[in-house]
């Protein structure tokens, strides 16, 4: 997990600098937002001149899955005092959730469960900061990275993340709908086309999933 | 610019931290609706594809399917490698190589 996050941290730092995001804001995104995919999307939206409400709403939609993690881990945190739950919630990410949920499910009721959770969170957090700084240094030491086509690296990164999910039929339909609408609505101001495309894509996926389930039942 | 950025980041922190706090800190007053859980499955693919497609097909603003658009072959190769091998880093590098060669040759 720690190794798996490394290339994304480096790519994030490099892309943010190449995209014209100041160093302090790049480091702050990793330090206080600490949510990989929404950080990438924020770089793309901020350098593309998106309106703040669009940025915030996209962040909300993209990170809403953390509410599911928050709900899943609640049984293991119920007995903890607030001074534990507030910081543990801050560090809740995909990776931490995957590791901690797996550990706590198999070792229910062990007294050091919270320490395991805290340790995993801190390791993941420090790891992400180190690789972001590395990426920032790479971005700064190679001037003119943007003209080298580093903006393409963003497209390639997103494509590499999405493509394996497209084996699932409803996900494929969601992606096709979102991509098509995004292309048609690309001239809408403040990146509003992104919101429109993402919403209709999600609806397409949910509808497709229901139809497939009904088809199997009938 | 800096003031806007501070505001942009502050909003992202509030939104993201609020979501993470939701159940862990305020859990006894909330419940997670099943329809939302099924909708969440489609969010990453929908958002990321909505970002990719206009950049790959219309990098300069208008749709460009000509040989001069190196984004398109690069994106197709990156997606293809990831689809077949599920190897994210290999897909990014493969896409980048095709993109670079394309721009250099054409």
């Amino acid at each position: 997990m720690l190794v798996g996050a490394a290339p994304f941290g480096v790519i994030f730092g490099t892309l943010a600098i190449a995209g014209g995001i100041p160093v302090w804001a790049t480091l702050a995104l990793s330090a206080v937002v600490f949510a990989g995919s929404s950080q990438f999307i924020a770089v793309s939206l901020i350098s593309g001149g998106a309106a703040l409400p669009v940025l915030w709403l996209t962040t909300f939609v993209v990170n809403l899955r953390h509410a599911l993690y928050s709900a899943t881990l609640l049984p293991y945190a119920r007995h903890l005092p607030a001074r534990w739950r507030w910081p543990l919630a801050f560090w809740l990410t995909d990776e931490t959730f995957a590791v901690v949920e797996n550990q706590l499910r198999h070792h229910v009721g062990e007294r050091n469960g919270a320490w395991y959770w805290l340790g995993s969170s801190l390791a993941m957090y420090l790891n992400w900061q180190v690789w972001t700084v590395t990426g920032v240094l790479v971005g700064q030491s190679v001037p003119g990275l943007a003209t080298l086509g580093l903006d393409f690296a963003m497209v390639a990164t997103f494509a590499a993340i999405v493509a394996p999910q497209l084996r699932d039929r409803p996900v494929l339909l969601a992606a096709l709908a979102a991509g098509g609408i995004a292309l048609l609505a690309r001239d809408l101001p403040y990146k509003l086309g992104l919101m429109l495309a993402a919403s209709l894509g999600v609806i397409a996926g949910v509808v497709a999933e229901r139809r497939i389930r009904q088809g199997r039942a009938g | 610019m800096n003031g806007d950025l501070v505001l942009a980041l502050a909003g992202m922190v509030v939104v993201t931290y609020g979501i993470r706090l939701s159940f862990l800190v305020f859990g006894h007053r909330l419940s997670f609706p099943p329809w939302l859980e099924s909708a969440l499955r489609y969010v990453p693919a929908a958002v990321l594809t909505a970002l990719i497609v206009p950049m790959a097909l219309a990098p300069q603003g208008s749709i460009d399917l000509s040989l001069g658009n190196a984004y398109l072959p690069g994106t197709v190769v990156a997606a293809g490698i990831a689809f077949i091998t599920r190897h994210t880093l290999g897909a990014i590098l493969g896409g980048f190589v095709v993109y670079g060669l394309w721009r250099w040759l054409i």
Side-chain angles (χ1 to χ4, degrees), chain A residues 84-99:
Chain A
W84 274 88
R85 282 183 285 155
W86 282 77
L88 286 177
F90 174 78
W91 286 310
L92 188 56
T93 58
D94 299 297
E95 291 84 0
T96 309
F97 172 75
V99 171

Side-chain angles (χ1 to χ4, degrees), chain A residues 62-183:
Chain A
V62 170
N63 289 338
L64 196 54
R65 65 182 189 286
H66 293 149
L68 185 61
Y69 305 160
S70 190
T72 309
L73 291 177
L74 177 61
Y76 308 111
R78 221 183 273 277
H79 62 285
L80 296 171
R83 67 168 196 278
W84 274 88
R85 282 183 285 155
W86 282 77
L88 286 177
F90 174 78
W91 286 310
L92 188 56
T93 58
D94 299 297
E95 291 84 0
T96 309
F97 172 75
V99 171
V100 170
E101 200 269 337
N102 185 53
Q103 169 77 12
L104 296 182
R105 188 156 34 87
H106 290 109
H107 304 272
V108 186
E110 284 186 16
R111 279 200 61 81
N112 52 14
W115 288 103
Y116 182 88
W117 188 346
L118 181 68
S120 309
S121 303
L122 283 175
M124 220 65 82
Y125 183 73
L126 293 176
N127 185 55
W128 187 242
Q129 309 312 318
V130 167
W131 294 117
T132 304
V133 171
T134 309
V136 167
L137 294 175
V138 172
Q140 284 184 321
S141 59
V142 188
L145 262 179
T147 51
L148 275 175
L150 221 92
D151 41 347
F152 173 74
M154 181 94 72
V155 185
T157 307
F158 291 167
I161 294 169
V162 168
Q165 303 176 21
L166 302 180
R167 294 160 192 266
D168 183 67
R169 187 67 59 84
V171 174
L172 176 65
L173 286 167
L176 285 175
I181 293 158
L183 188 63

Side-chain angles (χ1 to χ4, degrees), chain B residues 37-60:
Chain B
E37 193 176 335
S38 95
L40 281 180
R41 283 189 54 211
Y42 303 104
V43 169
V47 172
L48 293 178
T49 313
L51 282 166
I52 298 165
V53 171
M55 283 165 97
L57 290 178
Q60 312 295 336

